[in-house]
Amino acid sequence: MIEISNLTFDYPGHRALDEVSLTVQTGSVTALVGPNGAGKTTLMRCIAGLETPLSGSIQVGGMDVVEKPREVHRIMGYLSDFFGLYEDLTVAQCLEYAAASQGLPTQEIDTAIALTARRLDLSDRLQQTGGSLSRGLRQRLAIGQAIIHGPKMLLLDEPASGLDPEARASLATLFRQLQANGMTLLVSSHILAELDEYSTHMLSLRNGRVLENRALSGAQSAIASKRLRLSLALAESRLPTWLEQQVPVTLIKAEADFAEFDFQGDLSAQSALLGELVTAGFAVASFAEHKENLQHSYLQSVAVQPKGSQR
Ligand code: ATP
């Protein structure tokens, strides 16, 4: 969905993005992480066509963002970290204005408002003014404005900042629903535990450079294989060799009483493997999917970069 090559962006006297190259896969939810000042907002603004890079190229849905910003905006929604709402307009009017400015034909606007309000659970708030909404509802309305035209790709810069745990949880549910409907999401946040709940990929930036961009193992993704962990009640030295012979298994770590491996297959294939382990006489004590912890992965990816490389 997004292909960036050798993107460099300078603010006066400061290089914010330095030869950034990356891809974001269609249908993924990518957590954009990195310390303050890493370049996350600048990267999103470049992808959204709001900044002009010094060099490099950004393609969204096969279109060049600099050459065809309007075409790209038709398939993209963007929520900035500091968004504004028209306080005196009602929710319905805010959505109508967003739909009209996205160029939706007049006859489609009412349907788009109703659908978006339903998606964001705002149907009973349509006549309330923007200024009278709680922070969580304001955030929902702003996301509604960003997706009113049914984009394929949604960029969200710190969407959960300032929200209470309940509002954050419902935002996570919304993101999963959007992904299930085929939308690709790029979400930046400092709240890694929350990104963990719905991200399929992690893109980490530091000092304007990409540290890591990869699928998270165990994520709810059709693309990634799942990571499984197995432990035995009785150690058996034949366990690593036995697992190595199983076609869908790629061993990460194997001992006589414990193994961690990537597994290509659906739930029934997973249950078949468990059955074979038991039939082969292994005393299985636990056998479960292990979802990678985003915070742990992020801290590891940051840890491999020497501090001195900071600008
Ligand atoms: P945060 O997590 O704090 O939001 P970020 O990863 O989004 O940070 P950016 O806002 O993209 O980082 O900023 C990247 C770098 O560019 C920072 O060093 C920042 O100080 C600098 N920067 C951002 N905006 C400007 C600007 N308008 N003029 C000059 N420098 C800027």
Side-chain angles (χ1 to χ4, degrees):
M1 178 58 69
I2 302 179
E3 281 226 49
I4 297 181
S5 58
N6 302 319
L7 171 67
T8 296
F9 181 89
D10 283 352
Y11 291 109
H14 180 77
R15 179 146 295 181
L17 296 174
D18 191 5
E19 295 278 323
V20 167
S21 295
L22 58 92
T23 56
V24 172
Q25 294 192 36
T26 302
S28 64
V29 180
T30 301
L32 176 56
V33 295
N36 291 123
K40 304 181 294 296
T41 296
T42 307
L43 178 63
M44 286 220 182
R45 289 180 60 80
C46 286
I47 297 171
L50 300 172
E51 304 283 4
T52 309
L54 178 71
S55 58
S57 81
I58 308 168
Q59 304 255 327
V60 176
M63 294 178 286
D64 188 284
V65 171
V66 176
E67 283 169 14
K68 298 186 169 171
R70 288 190 188 283
E71 286 85 340
V72 169
H73 287 165
R74 260 180 228 131
I75 62 159
M76 178 191 284
Y78 170 62
L79 179 70
S80 136
D81 50 350
F82 297 104
F83 61 86
L85 289 177
Y86 290 105
E87 309 277 315
D88 296 331
L89 294 188
T90 63
V91 169
Q93 287 168 330
C94 286
L95 292 174
E96 184 180 349
Y97 178 73
S101 51
Q102 289 289 358
L104 246 68
T106 318
Q107 66 275 16
E108 289 176 21
I109 289 182
D110 284 347
T111 315
I113 293 173
L115 177 70
T116 306
R118 213 170 37 242
R119 267 181 153 179
L120 294 166
D121 214 5
L122 287 169
S123 301
D124 55 349
R125 308 271 180 173
L126 285 169
Q127 297 318 315
Q128 202 172 323
T129 57
S132 68
L133 297 175
S134 69
R135 194 172 176 121
L137 290 170
R138 287 171 70 83
Q139 201 84 359
R140 286 188 161 258
L141 174 55
I143 295 171
Q145 294 183 154
I147 64 169
I148 187 103
H149 56 304
K152 292 182 181 158
M153 166 86 219
L154 182 59
L155 309 175
L156 299 142
D157 198 351
E158 292 283 343
S161 66
L163 297 187
D164 65 29
E166 201 179 325
R168 286 212 298 265
S170 72
L171 209 58
T173 307
L174 171 67
F175 294 160
R176 279 196 291 267
Q177 283 166 354
L178 293 176
Q179 186 205 12
N181 288 334
M183 210 180 272
T184 306
L185 281 85
L186 179 63
V187 188
S188 84
S189 177
H190 289 293
I191 309 166
L192 298 181
E194 163 209 297
L195 285 170
D196 215 11
E197 281 181 31
Y198 48 78
S199 303
T200 60
H201 289 65
M202 177 180 84
L203 167 58
S204 89
L205 283 188
R206 178 148 160 189
N207 294 329
R209 298 197 187 108
V210 176
L211 288 187
E212 240 188 320
N213 182 23
R214 63 180 174 86
L216 290 166
S217 62
Q220 292 172 340
S221 160
I223 309 152
S225 67
K226 63 180 91 174
R227 176 81 43 100
L228 296 178
R229 278 186 175 177
L230 163 74
S231 67
L232 300 184
L234 288 173
E236 297 228 27
S237 54
R238 66 188 170 110
L239 179 66
T241 327
W242 190 90
L243 281 172
E244 254 169 20
Q245 288 163 356
Q246 310 304 311
V247 176
V249 167
T250 308
L251 278 184
I252 305 296
K253 189 177 177 188
E255 293 162 8
D257 61 351
F258 174 81
E260 183 171 321
F261 52 90
D262 283 334
F263 181 76
Q264 297 279 352
D266 58 12
L267 279 178
S268 58
Q270 187 178 326
S271 128
L273 178 64
L274 175 58
E276 282 164 30
L277 276 158
V278 174
T279 310
F282 292 107
V284 177
S286 69
F287 179 78
E289 188 167 343
H290 171 67
K291 189 174 183 306
E292 196 175 339
N293 180 298
L294 184 58
Q295 172 137 350
H296 181 246
S297 308
Y298 167 65
L299 291 175
Q300 266 195 337
S301 98
V302 169
V304 296
Q305 297 294 313
K307 269 268 176 196
S309 70
Q310 271 186 6
R311 221 181 288 276

